Amino acid sequence: MATVESISELKQLIIGIDGKVGILSNKLDNIEDRFTRIVTEIKSEVDEVKTDVTNTKLEVQKLREDHLELEKGVGHIELEINRVMLEKHERKYNALVYGEPESDNEDIHAVLNTFFIQDLKIDKEKAESFPIANAHRIPSRQTSDQIRRPAPIIVRFIHHGDKQYALSKGYNLSNKHMRIVDDLPPVMKESRHELAKLAYKIRNEEHLQTRIKVVGTRILLQTRTNSKDNWFLRREALCCLPYK
């Protein structure tokens, strides 16, 4: 038969167990709360990752589209460069003479002989030995308020070496309003014209020597202080690209 003491001990035991159950229950609640927060955070991070993946896919698609556009642009530039190079090759034997006085009923070949001998200072015998395939004046664009300038002469040499020799004597025209240059495709002529204006400004303001050199479809403006100095690149124009 249970005594009062045993009942009291049992009661204390039950109270102790109940307290431990309460503690465990609280711990479980805390664990559940923490687990719930972790799950919520994971879901949030998963959503962020999904959003990032979606944005990345859109960016990749945009990059692909930009790449295709760039390829088209590069392809167009390459085609244009090839076209210009072909036209430049066709003009390989041509030279342009600017500033040679013009007269009615002139003999263009006699005019060129005089230009070669008197202006370029080429030996008379050598100048007269140049076989010329064709030569004629080119009508130049002039506004009504401009002082009329002589129309340029286009000369087609038979031998490329003869043309290069004539061009090499161009320095003899430095104090004259005359010049002899390579015949180039129109787009390259425009770039050379822009560089020629800059070269004129440099010579007058900075008192430097200048020269314009053509390399492929590149047109280079070079300067130096004197004939003993090296040539330095001052400005470059790229055919088929904006002038810079």
Side-chain angles (χ1 to χ4, degrees):
M1 183 175 178
T3 64
V4 174
E5 291 178 355
S6 62
I7 292 173
S8 178
E9 289 176 359
L10 180 60
K11 184 177 179 181
Q12 291 298 322
L13 180 61
I14 292 172
I15 291 172
I17 292 173
D18 187 57
K20 289 181 179 180
V21 169
I23 292 171
L24 290 174
S25 178
N26 289 334
K27 287 184 177 180
L28 286 173
D29 289 341
N30 290 335
I31 291 172
E32 184 179 4
D33 290 341
R34 288 168 57 193
F35 181 75
T36 301
R37 286 198 302 271
I38 291 172
V39 170
T40 302
E41 290 174 358
I42 291 174
K43 285 183 178 180
S44 177
E45 290 179 0
V46 168
D47 290 339
E48 289 180 4
V49 170
K50 286 181 178 179
T51 301
D52 290 342
V53 169
T54 300
N55 291 337
T56 301
K57 286 181 178 179
L58 292 174
E59 290 174 0
V60 169
Q61 180 62 29
K62 182 67 168 57
L63 287 173
R64 285 175 178 168
E65 292 173 357
D66 291 345
H67 179 68
L68 289 174
E69 288 297 319
L70 182 61
E71 282 187 334
K72 290 179 182 178
V74 170
H76 173 74
I77 291 173
E78 288 178 347
L79 287 174
E80 182 65 10
I81 288 176
N82 290 337
R83 183 192 67 77
V84 171
M85 285 297 293
L86 178 61
E87 185 177 354
K88 183 185 174 208
H89 180 74
E90 291 173 349
R91 297 170 183 248
K92 179 179 179 180
Y93 294 88
N94 295 356
L96 291 169
V97 177
Y98 292 93
E100 177 63 35
E102 187 176 0
S103 61
D104 295 333
N105 302 318
E106 65 185 2
D107 180 345
I108 200 67
H109 291 278
V111 170
L112 285 173
N113 275 341
T114 300
F115 172 73
F116 291 149
I117 297 167
Q118 294 185 4
D119 298 306
L120 291 183
K121 310 299 182 185
I122 296 175
D123 180 74
K124 183 175 184 295
E125 184 177 351
K126 184 173 183 63
E128 291 177 347
S129 71
F130 289 159
I132 304 297
N134 192 17
H136 60 86
R137 297 271 183 182
I138 304 173
S140 58
R141 295 176 295 178
Q142 299 186 78
T143 60
S144 57
D145 59 343
Q146 281 184 322
I147 298 175
R148 190 175 185 281
R149 297 177 180 177
I153 302 172
I154 184 168
V155 188
R156 187 168 183 84
F157 291 81
I158 295 292
H159 303 302
H160 185 255
D162 291 340
K163 186 197 85 166
Q164 292 302 105
Y165 183 79
L167 291 176
S168 72
K169 295 292 184 177
Y171 65 88
N172 288 308
L173 305 174
S174 58
N175 295 322
K176 303 179 180 181
H177 296 291
M178 306 169 73
R179 60 193 177 108
I180 179 170
V181 295
D182 265 316
D183 181 28
L184 298 173
V187 66
M188 296 185 71
K189 283 180 184 175
E190 291 174 8
S191 295
R192 182 173 63 188
H193 178 65
E194 292 298 323
L195 291 182
K197 290 193 293 185
L198 177 59
Y200 178 79
K201 183 178 180 182
I202 290 172
R203 288 195 301 272
N204 282 276
E205 295 182 0
E206 301 180 33
H207 307 293
L208 296 175
Q209 296 179 1
T210 66
R211 75 174 181 183
I212 293 176
K213 191 174 181 180
V214 178
V215 181
T217 58
R218 299 163 59 216
I219 304 178
L220 313 177
L221 170 58
Q222 299 174 325
T223 61
R224 66 181 182 182
T225 54
N226 54 61
S227 58
K228 295 181 180 180
D229 195 10
N230 293 323
W231 288 104
F232 293 94
L233 178 64
R234 181 64 175 267
R235 185 69 64 88
E236 176 179 357
L238 299 177
C239 166
C240 313
L241 293 178
Y243 173 76
K244 65 175 185 177

